[in-house]
């Protein structure tokens, strides 16, 4: 990602314009206030979530967190949050999950996975009773568009790439892009067309581990931060 003029670094993230940082911070801090004592909380990944973690740590709640990436897990532990593995020893449900997004369209479809964590992020979002998305205002788009991240298996890759390309346009593998689960990261060049149709088509390709389209039905609310403050959008509401 290239830095825009006047950019400032986020907390551990890439350089972005100052107003954008403020929007991310406001959305993240509003989400931290939604967390209650003793909750089980899913933590997303990215530069917006990087503002959530200290806001959550400052509240000194007795919560148990699961992290969608090693990066988030390490940052949360450094701040004193209790992070547990989301493995077979863990309860199946979470009270709340909070995560960023690359795009949010008018109907509430998300594109996620800019950070390559979309498969774990979708598992955590689907396991949560409430999934809250935190974005700055520039993430709002009329309709989702490329690039669309996907995670693929190595086995059968040529067949998988051909099927994904037929559904979502040219596919570019991310150089060195591997998830902690061993998947290959790639981005589809679109056009994306109707997100529900595309999501179903990608779900039907056996070698696709996960894709970055998250349906509105998964999203409880979207907190949108900007220079003015923070507002709440509810898909379908
Ligand atoms: C990572 C994600 C992120 O939530 C998404 O890329 C947004 O990141 P940021 O808050 O840095 O803009 O999906 O896989």
């Amino acid at each position: 990602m290239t830095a825009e003029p006047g950019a400032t670094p986020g907390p551990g993230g890439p350089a972005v314009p100052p107003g954008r940082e403020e929007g991310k911070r406001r959305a993240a801090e509003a989400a931290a206030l939604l967390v209650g004592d003793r909750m089980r909380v899913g933590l997303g990944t990215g530069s917006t979530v990087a503002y959530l973690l200290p806001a959550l740590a400052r509240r000194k709640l007795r919560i148990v967190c699961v992290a969608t990436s090693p990066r988030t897990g390490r940052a949360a532990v450094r701040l004193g949050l209790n992070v547990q593995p989301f493995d077979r020893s863990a309860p199946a449900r979470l009270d709340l999950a909070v995560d960023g997004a690359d795009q949010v369209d008018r109907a509430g479809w998300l594109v996620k996975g800019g950070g390559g964590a979309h498969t774990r992020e979708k598992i955590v979002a689907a396991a949560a009773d409430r999934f809250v998305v935190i974005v700055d205002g520039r993430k709002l788009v009329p309709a989702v568009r490329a690039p669309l991240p996907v995670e693929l298996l190595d086995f059968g890759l040529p067949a998988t790439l051909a099927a994904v390309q037929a559904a979502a346009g040219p596919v570019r593998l991310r150089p060195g892009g591997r998830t902690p689960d061993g998947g290959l990261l790639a981005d589809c060049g679109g056009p994306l067309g109707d997100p529900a149709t595309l999501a179903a088509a990608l779900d039907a390709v056996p070698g696709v581990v996960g894709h970055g389209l998250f349906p509105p039905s998964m999203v409880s609310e979207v907190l949108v931060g900007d220079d003015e403050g923070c507002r709440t959008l509810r898909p379908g509401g």
Side-chain angles (χ1 to χ4, degrees):
M1 186 184 296
T2 50
E4 297 176 42
T8 56
V16 292
R20 198 159 192 183
E21 285 302 298
E22 186 59 13
K24 291 180 185 188
R25 186 184 64 74
R26 287 191 169 161
E29 291 185 356
L33 296 178
L34 301 177
V35 179
D37 205 27
R38 299 190 185 277
M39 278 188 175
R40 291 185 49 79
V41 182
L43 303 174
T45 293
S47 60
T48 313
V49 167
Y51 285 106
L52 171 74
L53 304 180
L56 206 45
R58 281 196 295 274
R59 297 200 57 212
K60 306 247 182 266
L61 299 168
R62 288 161 294 179
I63 57 175
V64 176
C65 303
V66 298
T68 54
S69 64
R71 179 158 55 109
T72 292
R74 284 192 298 270
V77 166
R78 272 199 302 273
L79 289 161
L81 292 166
N82 177 6
V83 180
Q84 297 296 322
F86 202 26
D87 60 12
R88 68 186 70 180
S89 65
R93 297 296 300 171
L94 303 169
D95 297 295
L96 176 73
V98 184
D99 203 348
D102 301 306
Q103 303 171 42
V104 180
D105 84 0
R106 288 192 181 127
W109 278 92
L110 312 180
V111 167
K112 288 185 48 55
H118 49 281
T119 302
R120 287 190 179 197
E121 290 171 337
K122 197 177 280 183
I123 291 170
V124 165
D129 293 341
R130 185 177 181 187
F131 177 44
V132 176
V133 177
I134 49 176
V135 291
D136 69 271
R138 296 191 205 194
K139 302 286 184 63
L140 302 181
V141 296
V144 291
R145 54 180 184 249
L148 174 66
V150 289
E151 179 176 347
L152 310 173
L153 287 181
D154 283 275
F155 184 84
L157 189 60
T160 302
L161 288 173
V164 171
Q165 173 153 344
V171 190
R172 177 183 286 195
L173 292 169
R174 288 190 198 173
R178 278 275 170 202
T179 70
D181 305 300
L184 280 170
L185 287 167
D187 295 285
C188 306
L192 302 187
D194 172 55
T197 305
L198 176 55
L202 291 172
D203 286 335
V205 180
V208 173
V209 180
H211 59 80
L213 280 170
F214 285 46
S217 58
M218 194 175 264
V219 178
S220 307
E221 62 236 82
V222 182
L223 305 184
V224 185
D226 57 27
D227 285 339
E228 310 298 312
C230 182
R231 64 201 154 104
T232 303
L233 307 178
R234 287 193 173 77

